Amino acid sequence: MSVPAAPIRTVVAGVGYIGSRHAALVHAHPAFELVGVAEPAPDRAATATAFGAPVYPTLAASLAVAPELVVVAAPNDRHIPLALEALAQGCHVAVEKPLGLTQASCQALVTAALGADRQVFVVVQNRFTPTAQWLKGLLEGGHLGRILLAQIGCYWNRDHRYYTPGHWHGTLGYDGGALFTQFSHFIDLLLWLLGDAQVQAATVANLHHRGQIEIDDSGTATFGLAGGGLGALSYTTAVWDRNLESRLLLLGERGSVVLGGQYFNRIEACHIEGYTLPTLPEANPPNHYGGYQGSAANHGHVYDNIYATLRQGGAPACTATEGLRVTAFIEELYRVAGYPGCL
């Protein structure tokens, strides 16, 4: 990749676990310049000084350095307000998942981005995993035929090491629910691979974290696929001690595929009429956050895509409209389930 004469001046808003990862990546990327960090919490602001950029108590203060890009990595409920603030000042925006906690707020962001003629990138790095890229090409090539059945399961651990008192994780207002914070990556993959899906039935519950969190930790749902097939989802953050796996099973008219691993990073079955499975590149490991693990460490690909879009005329890997679709699916699932009435 050739480095542009003018690097992309970038501010990172929020430097918790994932925000610190973004700040480090921007700081190290030759096509970007970290010109500021916006972080109101004094302890995190002190940590942010290691990246060599000025630290500001608010995003508004950081915008005085005229960034071209603002990366929003604050708690979930702050994604839309901070992104709108950045757009209003003429910045492009990259927003950590989920894009927002309501379909209406996401639509307001889509509308604002169009009006400002600015790009909004949604950070869904699991799309760059080799197995996901392979499966996307497989489906676009029609190798499986019409998908008859899809099953998606995500079985992770989040316990006292994650849901610490006083933190925004696990709160209804800031977090929104496990599907937003832990599993929106997998909802995104479902919709990216198979198109729109319609929730038919859903049940969510707090099975293992009562008295500790205000949100769900487990759930199941069934949904209809755009092509007429059926789908099922199950998820939990109640697995003991560490993540177990995530699993995606697709049964098509001409074959079947099963992906496994923590974030669908392994091909566990592939049996397709007239098809030979190619050798895929090794997947990146998961992100490590102290006592727990997250999704794939593919954020470098996200920044390569942002550079290609802003400097080479490329297209965003995930647009705000796609992020809106994910939020709409989760919001509908929770509505059908009667959430938060399960608590």
Side-chain angles (χ1 to χ4, degrees), residues 249-328:
L249 178 150
L250 298 180
L251 299 181
E253 294 173 312
R254 294 196 292 274
S256 54
V257 170
V258 178
L259 301 185
Q262 285 198 40
Y263 47 93
F264 307 153
N265 54 299
R266 295 198 309 262
I267 299 174
E268 298 195 347
C270 176
H271 183 59
I272 303 170
E273 179 184 358
Y275 182 81
T276 301
L277 179 66
T279 300
L280 301 182
E282 191 72 21
N284 286 332
N287 284 304
H288 288 265
Y289 304 113
Y292 65 96
Q293 293 184 351
S295 292
N298 287 336
H299 288 84
H301 296 299
V302 173
Y303 283 99
D304 290 343
N305 174 253
I306 293 173
Y307 163 75
T309 302
L310 298 184
R311 291 289 188 266
Q312 298 178 321
C318 182
T319 66
T321 299
E322 292 175 282
L324 183 156
R325 289 170 60 202
V326 172
T327 292

Side-chain angles (χ1 to χ4, degrees), residues 64-78:
V65 301
E68 181 179 355
L69 174 73
V70 171
V71 178
V72 177
N76 295 349
D77 73 310
R78 298 297 298 152

Side-chain angles (χ1 to χ4, degrees), residues 129-205:
T129 301
T131 49
Q133 291 284 315
W134 165 77
L135 186 52
K136 179 68 169 175
L138 193 76
L139 291 166
E140 288 181 342
H143 293 283
L144 287 173
R146 186 169 65 92
I147 300 302
L148 308 176
L149 184 68
Q151 292 183 345
I152 182 170
C154 307
Y155 312 111
W156 280 17
N157 160 267
R158 293 293 184 269
D159 54 24
H160 62 279
R161 295 167 292 186
Y162 181 82
Y163 294 123
T164 55
H167 200 276
W168 66 271
H169 291 147
T171 62
L172 186 59
Y174 297 109
D175 184 314
L179 283 175
F180 284 117
T181 303
Q182 273 70 57
F183 303 121
S184 58
H185 277 305
F186 304 105
I187 302 300
D188 173 71
L189 285 177
L190 172 72
L191 301 180
W192 181 58
L193 292 169
L194 300 179
D196 288 331
Q198 181 63 48
V199 177
Q200 298 171 333
T203 301
V204 302

